[in-house]
Amino acid sequence: MAEPATATQAAAPVVALLKDELDIVIPTIRNLDFLEMWRPFFQPYHLIIVQDGDPSKTIKVPEGFDYELYNRNDINRILGPKASCISFKDSACRCFGYMVSKKKYIFTIDDDCFVAKDPSGKAINALEQHIKNLLSSSTPFFFNTLYDPFREGADFVRGYPFSLREGVPTAASHGLWLNIPDYDAPTQLVKPLERNTRYVDAVLTIPKGTLFPMCGMNLAFNRELIGPAMYFGLMGDGQPIGRYDDMWAGWCTKVICDHLGLGVKTGLPYIFHSKASNPFVNLRKEYKGIYWQEEIIPFFQQAVLPKDCTTVQKCYIELAKQVKEKLSKVDPYFDKLADAMVTWIEAWDELNPTGPVPNGKAA
């Protein structure tokens, strides 16, 4: 059975890559004792903590961390009426941290995720692996059977077109989990004791035109390349759906990355996911999404963005328009979500007035 690394195993000295260029965003409703295990890896970095739920509750952060903490009162004060686009009583509130960050890169993690061990028993520095993924190119236009050709010990295989070997900029790095898998409620109910002990030593680029279920609990991205697309939607309190926040962001992000010629990687790094959420509570949150996704996913598979959508913001506004036109017939919620997507971009541009995020390398 998989077990998390001990504090001693995680305490080996590390080199903090990009420590002045990366923020760690953590959504939470509880004291952040889990940071003690991550201290060797996270302490050199700036943390943005987004407190969900009751803003009068005091969240305790272990000493020695550099952080800023935002609760719902802060979100309302900073965004004013546009705060309506930030979810309440749902981890989707984390995307507020993406908006207020001023760094080039974001790593986001849930507070029930601990340091994992690789098969040799060594503690995994998840943040370091994400950074390696983001700093090396992606290859979305032609699949390499040795997976990521830019990893040490790998390369492009025979028959891989030389014209595509430069790759494209990597916008997002999607990590995985040992112990508790990221299952939906029906799967949790039929496999209550299942634990993931398989460590697959691989990173691969998700091919162009292929969607994927993005999990937000172990995720890093280049904020300058794709930040405005990382909106985790309207979920939680007052909404008919939950637990689809990261899925929505992933589908939007992948369609926009494909259009702009950017890459998304998945695989390493692993974290140790310690706690299974209640499948009955999850089912109440997910049940509409389970039906809706059978129409949502074909919508994204068929979505085409016009050539004049040359920035992430323009792409996202166009997607919002198409959501309103094509998904509102599924449920009036999508009309509300499309409006929130536009509000999100308006709020992003107000807090980040330096200009639109540029596109990557065109396909």
Side-chain angles (χ1 to χ4, degrees):
M1 179 167 174
E3 294 181 351
T6 64
T8 304
Q9 288 171 318
V14 297
V15 177
L17 302 173
L18 303 178
K19 75 180 185 69
D20 297 321
E21 298 181 69
L22 183 145
D23 280 334
I24 299 173
V25 174
I26 305 168
T28 194
I29 57 170
R30 59 181 63 87
N31 294 336
L32 294 180
D33 300 329
F34 92 114
L35 285 173
E36 285 295 352
M37 173 173 281
W38 288 101
R39 186 181 292 276
F41 305 128
F42 289 2
Q43 190 163 355
Y45 295 89
H46 180 68
L47 311 182
I48 297 178
I49 299 162
V50 184
Q51 178 181 342
D52 195 19
D54 183 1
S56 66
K57 181 180 177 181
T58 300
I59 299 291
K60 294 181 181 177
V61 181
E63 289 187 11
F65 286 93
D66 172 38
Y67 71 93
E68 53 192 300
L69 187 150
Y70 297 93
N71 61 30
R72 192 69 204 188
N73 293 338
D74 299 316
I75 294 171
N76 291 338
R77 172 178 51 82
I78 292 167
L79 295 184
K82 291 183 173 65
S84 62
C85 73
I86 304 297
S87 299
F88 184 57
K89 294 186 178 177
D90 193 281
S91 64
C93 68
R94 78 177 78 219
C95 62
F96 177 77
Y98 310 160
M99 183 186 283
V100 296
S101 171
K102 301 304 176 190
K103 303 289 178 61
K104 182 175 181 179
Y105 300 98
I106 294 288
F107 170 54
T108 185
I109 186 171
D110 284 4
D111 59 14
D112 61 351
C113 294
F114 300 155
V115 179
K117 294 184 291 188
D118 69 16
S120 73
K122 181 183 176 184
I124 297 168
N125 183 348
L127 184 50
E128 179 183 53
Q129 181 63 52
H130 275 302
I131 290 170
K132 288 179 178 178
N133 293 347
L134 290 170
L135 293 183
S136 58
S137 297
S138 292
T139 53
F141 307 130
F142 200 90
F143 189 78
N144 189 51
T145 51
L146 274 183
Y147 307 121
D148 190 344
F150 300 104
R151 285 190 73 198
E152 186 176 347
D155 210 325
F156 293 98
V157 297
R158 182 171 57 89
Y160 199 99
F162 283 87
S163 59
L164 295 177
R165 293 191 182 195
E166 181 184 348
V168 301
T170 300
S173 170
H174 177 255
L176 300 175
W177 343 268
L178 293 174
N179 197 40
I180 306 293
D182 186 30
Y183 285 161
D184 54 37
T187 309
Q188 281 184 292
L189 286 167
V190 298
K191 294 183 172 182
L193 301 179
E194 184 156 294
R195 299 295 181 264
N196 180 36
T197 58
R198 294 178 65 239
Y199 179 96
V200 180
D201 187 10
V203 178
L204 60 153
T205 298
I206 300 172
K208 182 179 181 180
T210 299
L211 297 175
F212 74 110
M214 188 176 83
C215 172
M217 77 171 93
N218 176 22
L219 174 72
F221 60 92
N222 184 323
R223 184 177 174 276
E224 291 183 0
L225 284 181
I226 201 63
M230 283 287 180
Y231 175 47
F232 276 45
L234 281 179
M235 303 283 152
D237 194 50
Q239 308 303 333
I241 185 174
R243 284 174 56 84
Y244 273 85
D245 51 334
D246 41 9
M247 300 293 139
W248 185 263
W251 296 327
C252 292
T253 292
K254 188 58 167 62
V255 168
I256 293 173
C257 282
D258 286 351
H259 175 75
L260 294 178
L262 300 169
V264 177
K265 292 183 179 181
T266 189
L268 301 181
Y270 282 89
I271 49 84
F272 184 92
H273 186 208
S274 65
K275 190 179 69 179
S277 49
N278 185 311
F280 296 100
V281 173
N282 290 347
L283 187 59
R284 281 201 301 272
K285 294 177 179 179
E286 290 175 1
Y287 79 96
K288 288 193 175 182
I290 291 169
Y291 286 108
W292 291 347
Q293 71 184 16
E294 301 306 320
E295 298 193 56
I296 296 170
I297 292 171
F299 161 78
F300 281 108
Q301 288 173 326
Q302 295 159 18
V304 176
L305 300 175
K307 287 187 176 180
D308 61 357
C309 288
T310 54
T311 67
V312 176
Q313 283 95 328
K314 287 181 180 178
C315 290
Y316 204 75
I317 293 295
E318 173 62 26
L319 263 183
K321 176 184 166 188
Q322 294 185 23
V323 167
K324 186 177 279 282
E325 289 174 353
K326 298 179 181 179
L327 289 181
S328 292
K329 63 178 173 49
V330 176
D331 192 273
Y333 164 75
F334 290 99
D335 196 61
K336 186 177 179 182
L337 177 56
D339 291 339
M341 292 168 71
V342 174
T343 302
W344 160 264
I345 293 296
E346 291 171 351
W348 181 285
D349 286 345
E350 282 182 15
L351 292 184
N352 300 275
T354 53
V357 174
N359 67 313
K361 182 177 178 180

